[in-house]
Amino acid sequence: FFAPEAKVASRLTKTTKPVKGVNKLLSEAAPTAKQIKTRAKEIYKKVEDSGVVIKAESYNKFIDDAAESLDKMGVDQVLSPKAHRSLKNALKLKGGPIKISEIEKIRKQALIAVKSIDGADPAIGNKFISKIDGYLEKLTPAQTQGGKTGDVGPMLKEARGLWSRVKKNEKVTDMVNVAENYQSGFES
């Protein structure tokens, strides 16, 4: 799916001359951000359609362990408001079976904390995401009711990897566009 990227990178690094049309080379060699997003969405849909629902006991144990870990890091309403909010929302889900999509929403909230400039938010958000990812990737049939549990972890990992590639692709494309239009960029 992504092998042509290596050929473009190899070609770009072998030359000492400015390379014009880098965007064209990248777009011809690699899947577009739209294609990658589409693939990631397909995977997330498969996960949702798998019908996997996490048992309350399993989720309760997970979230209690995560809360204890984040508490040790100093999660606080004032010092780490975004991480605190995501943990608080996760704790509200205790008590009943939970869909994977609900945990993914909590993960997105923790990602907002990672991108925050507020105190300890980024570190605590990263830790929470790591806990969520580890939990979902190791989910067993004993922790769920219904659905095909075995594929959920690897599928989520793949989908997240694709989204990460999209974000990196967008950053590189933006940098290349700026460099191509900047006088001391590729033309100097």
Side-chain angles (χ1 to χ4, degrees), residues 14-157:
K14 287 181 182 176
T15 181
T16 56
K17 296 179 183 177
V19 179
K20 292 190 178 201
V22 172
N23 273 343
K24 184 178 180 202
L25 286 172
L26 288 173
S27 67
E28 290 171 358
T32 66
K34 184 177 179 180
Q35 291 169 322
I36 298 170
K37 283 180 185 178
T38 299
R39 176 70 181 134
K41 286 178 183 177
E42 289 170 357
I43 295 170
Y44 279 119
K45 178 145 178 42
K46 281 183 184 179
V47 169
E48 191 63 29
D49 292 347
S50 72
V52 172
V53 177
I54 299 170
K55 290 180 182 176
E57 306 83 45
S58 174
Y59 179 75
N60 292 348
K61 182 179 178 340
F62 155 71
I63 201 59
D64 287 344
D65 290 345
E68 183 179 328
S69 179
L70 298 181
D71 191 48
K72 287 179 183 176
M73 290 184 72
V75 67
D76 179 86
Q77 188 173 359
V78 175
L79 300 175
S80 53
K82 291 174 180 66
H84 181 268
R85 187 176 320 115
S86 65
L87 177 58
K88 184 178 174 184
N89 290 337
L91 288 166
K92 286 180 186 176
L93 296 174
K94 285 178 64 172
I98 184 169
K99 293 181 179 180
I100 300 289
S101 61
E102 291 175 287
I103 296 179
E104 284 295 306
K105 286 178 191 174
I106 298 299
R107 188 182 186 281
K108 287 178 184 178
Q109 291 173 6
L111 188 57
I112 291 169
V114 169
K115 296 176 182 179
S116 174
I117 59 170
D118 293 330
D121 262 339
I124 294 171
N126 264 325
K127 181 71 168 182
F128 197 16
I129 287 173
S130 176
K131 292 277 187 188
I132 292 169
D133 290 353
Y135 175 67
L136 292 176
E137 287 172 17
K138 295 174 184 162
L139 208 55
T140 66
Q143 296 171 301
T144 65
Q145 55 192 43
K148 297 178 183 178
T149 307
D151 296 337
V152 168
M155 288 191 315
L156 286 171
K157 188 173 185 175

